[in-house]
Amino acid sequence: MNAPQAGLIGQSVKRREDARFLTGRGQYTDDIVLPRQTYAFFLRSPYANAKIKGVNTAAAEAAEGVLGIYTGEHFRAIGGLPCGWLITSIDGTPMKEPKHPVLADGKVRYVGDPVALVVAETYAQAKAAAMLVEVDYEDLAPVVDTAGAKGNAATVHDEVADNVCYTWGCGDKAATDAAIAGAAHVTKLQFRNNRLVPNAIEPRAANASYNPAEDAYTLYTTSQNPHVARLLMCAFVLGIPEHKMRVVAPDVGGGFGSKIFLYNEETAITWASKQIGRPIKWTCERSEAFLTDAHGRDHVTTAELGLDAAGKFVALRVTTTANLGAYLSTFASSVPTILYATLLAGQYTTPSIYAEVTGVFTNTTPVDAYRGAGRPEATYVIERLVDTAAHELKIDPAELRRRNFIKSFPYATPVGLTYDTGDYEATLSSVIELADVAGFAARKAASEAKGLKRGIGYSTYIEACGLAPSNIAGALGARAGLFEAGEVRVHPTGKVTIFTGSHSHGQGHETTFAQVVADRLGIPLDDVSIEHGDTGKVLFGMGTYGSRSLSVGGTAIVKAVDKVIAKGKKIAAHLLEAADTDIEFENGTFKVAGTDKAVPFASVSLTAYVPHNYPLDKMEPGLNENAFYDPTNFTYPAGSYVCEVEVDPQTGRVRVDRFSAVDDFGNVVNPMIVEGQVQGGLAQGIGQALLEHGVYDNDSGQLLSGSYMDYAMPRADDLPSFNVKTAKGTPCTHNPLGVKGCGEAGAIGSPPAVINAICDALGVRDVPMPASPHAVWQAIQANR
């Protein structure tokens, strides 16, 4: 029998799930082949904006292997894909919510909009038949540019004449305007936060089947939150009774937010599986993924930071136009509003802040949450302004930050959040030492000797993780709860199975959740297994996004574990002939306080299921508990980053030479997994800063960067060896683990650090993202 492993919290336990992934034994949605399996292909619009004048499917229906062809007409009476967050405009009117049809009906609104679903015996037959579908389009002028969408002569939706979904405000406008007007110095920048394509390593996929004997459906899908997918599909679109729908998200190869949402494809094939009476599988091709996975970012912003004569921030004023794409995706409306403007205080004591956000429809792929979701955009605004102001005022960038740091907690920001804890001076001081800022001048001189420009850039970020609480979110427009659920099932022999509503798609939950449970129960790690991703097994949970898994999902599990321990004390009290108030539990053993009388956890669990010596009149048999947890506040991880770059002034090529990061994540369960999360986020953030850009042609609405030939993903040789450190930390004050989120931090803090370093190297005020060689070369020429 394995001995208990004491002190599992804080240990770099190797990921238990990696063995199956590294040996090819993972089971992804595309690996699942059901009896009598059929295959789907979606015919998509080649136009960004066009009327559908007619669809002729006759030739396709006669093609070999075809079992069914469906168009927007078949789904006309069915609900559209819903948006999960209602935003109210400044004038009190609700946001515009045009229907998002399952298949385009009467009009297509972006290149890739699904027009027809073809189901056949094989994927090749479905794809070949789709080429025979004849669609008569009337091409219309598209709306593409974010800044030019409002009031454009062309419209995306007939019922939204000015293409504006909402105009929303946050903060005190009058106080901010007055403070900016009276500021001793105002730094103003205009920039675009570039559009990104998610590019998870596993493309989206779905496999839907209908069981006529039970009048029930099963959907296997690449989802980050299967319960939410089931709820939205059943309640708002297809009208299926929820208990007649099982959604399973097996192993999922990355998501970065793009697999949170309810999409057309899984909805369409679920409906069609009943029509043909056989299971239907669809797997996205990479070219489809570029066109149809919800994109991220795409903001155009003007921002002003007011400072007094002593370099103290007096006000921040931000005006942003956010591109929502052709339709409102599941959480699209909340990303550039609730998740963006509420973070504009950053780590600073700025007394007056006002942000105004205009969300616009365009004839482009829908835009929604992508790693960080609003928080990277907010951090970019703040940190670019702070570094620019420091250079304008000839104040050291670190010193300017120190003058304005929040130093006492809790701290209520002027944009609606209350930070519970933090130590921003500590992380900044730590990263300055880690990055060897003192040696920068020597490294700069060495670069100059090689004809290269070297620059240093700072970024200090804060993130709000684990969206909560539900009642406040509901008042702000959320149409769903933001709790999480956990179930602890103790078997008679003392082994434990955990069922969690959180979903793992790269985060390492099977390891970290097991560490938490094994540590709390004092049992071996191998005695704990983790189940997730199946609505037929797991309590209703909200899934994984927003760096919420451990702080919210982990806390739900802990609360359930504590219930198990509480019941175990009562059973132990009976076995030990003591009062349950005298029972203590430590290191897997129940004992009578002040005595040597004790009984191990496994004996208590066996007694619970073999109740021969058990007070059945006082307690039910069994040792199985569940809990729901709705946080009282966000968690607020924060950190400080320093980036050094070398720039070739002849070509504009940028090389990230050094990157140092110090993060405060509160208590850390598994340092190795946390460091991996940070490094992955840094890679994505540097990718945004230097390489990645979803580019559309303004005249045609075609995605010009629709493949890896045109969309530059970061490679190993684009990245330095990261110098990453997790600070001792300030534990979260409102969850029992004291943990904060960590999964998005790297992607939040790194883009402004990189751009600040480039600007420092070149002596310019701004370089656009991505800072490609061409963009940097142009900045060099303009500065001359």
Side-chain angles (χ1 to χ4, degrees), residues 377-466:
E377 296 93 315
T379 299
Y380 192 78
V381 169
I382 304 161
E383 294 304 298
R384 285 289 298 113
L385 282 170
V386 173
D387 248 43
T388 304
H391 286 291
E392 289 176 348
L393 295 171
K394 296 180 170 52
I395 300 173
D396 178 76
E399 169 59 23
L400 185 60
R401 287 173 168 84
R402 287 185 167 118
R403 291 184 193 180
N404 291 280
F405 275 157
I406 299 163
K407 293 175 182 169
S408 63
F409 297 87
Y411 179 83
T413 75
V415 279
L417 299 181
T418 299
Y419 304 162
D420 62 331
T421 185
D423 189 345
Y424 310 141
E425 169 60 38
T427 55
L428 180 59
S429 296
S430 181
V431 81
I432 287 173
E433 181 180 353
L434 188 69
D436 184 26
V437 172
F440 171 71
R443 293 190 294 274
K444 184 178 178 70
S447 296
E448 291 284 355
K450 296 185 293 182
L452 302 174
K453 301 286 188 181
R454 179 176 285 265
I456 189 168
Y458 293 82
S459 172
T460 58
Y461 77 90
I462 190 166
E463 181 187 3
C465 300

Side-chain angles (χ1 to χ4, degrees), residues 724-749:
V724 174
K725 177 182 176 182
T726 302
K728 183 178 179 182
T730 54
C732 175
T733 61
H734 55 80
N735 69 59
L737 293 168
V739 297
K740 306 176 184 181
C742 72
E744 298 165 298
I748 292 170

Side-chain angles (χ1 to χ4, degrees), residues 702-751:
Q702 295 292 327
L703 181 63
L704 300 180
S705 52
S707 76
Y708 291 133
M709 293 294 289
D710 304 294
Y711 188 93
M713 294 278 283
R715 303 178 305 181
D717 61 356
D718 293 311
L719 306 171
S721 179
F722 297 124
N723 203 356
V724 174
K725 177 182 176 182
T726 302
K728 183 178 179 182
T730 54
C732 175
T733 61
H734 55 80
N735 69 59
L737 293 168
V739 297
K740 306 176 184 181
C742 72
E744 298 165 298
I748 292 170
S750 54

Side-chain angles (χ1 to χ4, degrees), residues 469-731:
S470 292
N471 58 345
I472 293 177
L476 295 173
R479 290 165 166 167
L482 297 170
F483 56 84
E484 197 46 83
E487 179 182 355
V488 178
R489 187 176 300 174
V490 182
H491 303 287
T493 56
K495 312 302 182 185
V496 178
T497 302
I498 302 299
F499 297 87
T500 173
S502 298
H503 185 275
S504 181
H505 41 279
Q507 294 86 352
H509 293 173
E510 292 174 37
T511 303
T512 50
F513 285 172
Q515 283 181 254
V516 169
V517 173
D519 183 88
R520 209 163 186 91
L521 290 178
I523 61 177
L525 188 68
D526 289 342
D527 285 1
V528 182
S529 64
I530 307 297
E531 295 282 343
H532 63 91
D534 187 342
T535 65
K537 295 180 179 179
V538 177
L539 295 169
F540 191 103
M542 298 304 297
T544 293
Y545 48 86
S547 301
R548 72 192 300 269
S549 295
L550 193 57
S551 62
V552 186
T555 297
I557 292 169
V558 165
K559 289 169 73 70
V561 168
D562 288 347
K563 290 181 181 180
V564 165
I565 294 171
K567 184 174 181 179
K569 286 181 177 180
K570 294 180 180 180
I571 298 171
H574 179 77
L575 294 174
L576 298 171
E577 299 179 332
D580 57 5
T581 54
D582 292 333
I583 301 296
E584 297 175 343
F585 181 72
E586 186 178 1
N587 295 329
T589 301
F590 295 92
K591 61 182 180 180
V592 181
T595 76
D596 60 357
K597 296 174 66 176
V599 61
F601 179 75
S603 294
V604 168
S605 64
L606 184 63
T607 302
Y609 289 98
V610 187
H612 295 161
N613 180 21
Y614 193 86
L616 288 169
D617 58 326
K618 297 179 181 178
M619 283 187 292
E620 297 176 351
L623 200 52
N624 183 56
E625 298 289 348
N626 62 61
F628 288 79
Y629 174 64
D630 198 323
T632 57
N633 195 359
F634 293 94
T635 69
Y636 297 100
S640 298
Y641 293 172
V642 174
C643 175
E644 283 188 38
V645 300
E646 278 190 331
V647 182
D648 185 339
Q650 301 302 314
T651 64
R653 185 179 184 275
V654 175
R655 184 178 70 88
V656 178
D657 184 53
R658 300 161 67 94
F659 201 106
S660 302
V662 176
D663 299 281
D664 175 1
F665 296 130
N667 294 335
V668 173
V669 171
N670 188 311
M672 178 189 68
I673 288 178
V674 166
E675 182 171 342
Q677 288 287 305
V678 172
Q679 292 203 19
L682 293 177
Q684 285 184 279
I686 293 171
Q688 175 176 12
L690 296 180
L691 299 163
E692 300 184 49
H693 196 187
V695 181
Y696 283 89
D697 179 76
N698 280 334
D699 295 326
S700 66
Q702 295 292 327
L703 181 63
L704 300 180
S705 52
S707 76
Y708 291 133
M709 293 294 289
D710 304 294
Y711 188 93
M713 294 278 283
R715 303 178 305 181
D717 61 356
D718 293 311
L719 306 171
S721 179
F722 297 124
N723 203 356
V724 174
K725 177 182 176 182
T726 302
K728 183 178 179 182
T730 54

